[in-house]
Amino acid sequence: MDWTNQGTTRAAFLSRGAKGGLALVAGGSVLAAATGTAFGAATTDTDIAKLAATAELLAIDFYSRALASKKFTGAEEAYMAAALQNERDHYRALAGVLKSAAPKKLSFTYPAGTFASGTSIGKLGQALETAFVGAYLGAVTALKSNDLKGVAATIGANESRHLAILSNIAAGTIVSGPSFPKAFTAAQATKAVTPFIKM
């Protein structure tokens, strides 16, 4: 699907969830499977951390491709490089907790035309970061460990900065974000991210 010609909004992106279940194999274990079992429907802190690490791998892949597209210069290019480093730092922090259980070597797919222009990159990045912010907000309430809640909150705050900048890139102007970003349930986070994971 070419989202560059459809003016994808965050709402439209979120409504384009996966049909059916997700079977994601990472590090040799199935993280979630079958219709109704959500990408983020984890019941333990370890499961939630695995799912967050998967989202960080998606973000690393997205920012790497955005930089490789050569559609940005100056401050926007510097932002993309800094955001990529942030995502790598987030993944390393989560992988440090998970050790050998951390997901690795996942492949991702994007709609045709995603990396054709700065605007199309901004629009998809805005949608992804909306999902990431929502997922981390939801994780803060779902996690049992106060230490992991703190990690989720700080990563979510950083993802919110990414969302603001990508929203500006997508709109071609400075735009304001919501006063209270929506916390995603596990099912909503799953629906938003699943279409990008290659099976």
Side-chain angles (χ1 to χ4, degrees):
M1 177 175 293
D2 183 359
W3 289 5
T4 59
N5 296 326
Q6 296 184 8
T8 300
T9 64
R10 282 181 269 179
F13 169 76
L14 296 174
S15 72
R16 288 187 181 105
K19 309 247 187 313
L22 163 67
L24 173 62
V25 179
S29 64
V30 176
L31 298 181
T35 303
T37 300
F39 173 60
T43 57
T44 70
D45 285 2
T46 299
D47 292 335
I48 294 169
K50 284 179 185 177
L51 300 170
T54 299
E56 294 301 335
L57 289 173
L58 172 57
I60 290 166
D61 188 74
F62 170 78
Y63 283 107
S64 295
R65 291 178 190 230
L67 277 168
S69 75
K70 304 287 187 196
K71 301 298 180 190
F72 300 102
T73 59
E76 288 179 343
E77 181 180 31
Y79 157 73
M80 292 289 176
L84 174 59
Q85 186 58 52
N86 293 156
E87 305 299 2
R88 288 177 175 155
D89 293 342
H90 300 165
Y91 176 78
R92 272 195 296 278
L94 293 163
V97 170
L98 293 167
K99 310 276 188 244
S100 64
K104 299 171 191 72
K105 299 180 183 176
L106 300 179
S107 297
F108 302 97
T109 186
Y110 302 90
T114 295
F115 300 98
S117 71
T119 299
S120 63
I121 293 167
K123 286 179 181 180
L124 183 59
Q126 177 185 19
L128 288 173
E129 290 292 355
T130 296
F132 299 156
V133 169
Y136 279 110
L137 288 174
V140 169
T141 60
L143 289 163
K144 292 170 184 57
S145 163
N146 285 333
D147 289 339
L148 285 176
K149 286 178 187 233
V151 171
T154 56
I155 292 175
N158 182 255
E159 300 294 359
S160 182
R161 293 178 53 85
H162 296 179
L163 174 57
I165 294 169
L166 286 165
S167 295
N168 294 340
I169 291 171
T173 188
I174 296 174
V175 295
S176 177
S179 297
F180 300 98
K182 182 180 183 328
F184 281 25
T185 65
Q188 290 167 322
T190 300
K191 194 172 184 179
V193 176
T194 299
F196 299 96
I197 300 172
K198 283 185 185 177
M199 300 298 169

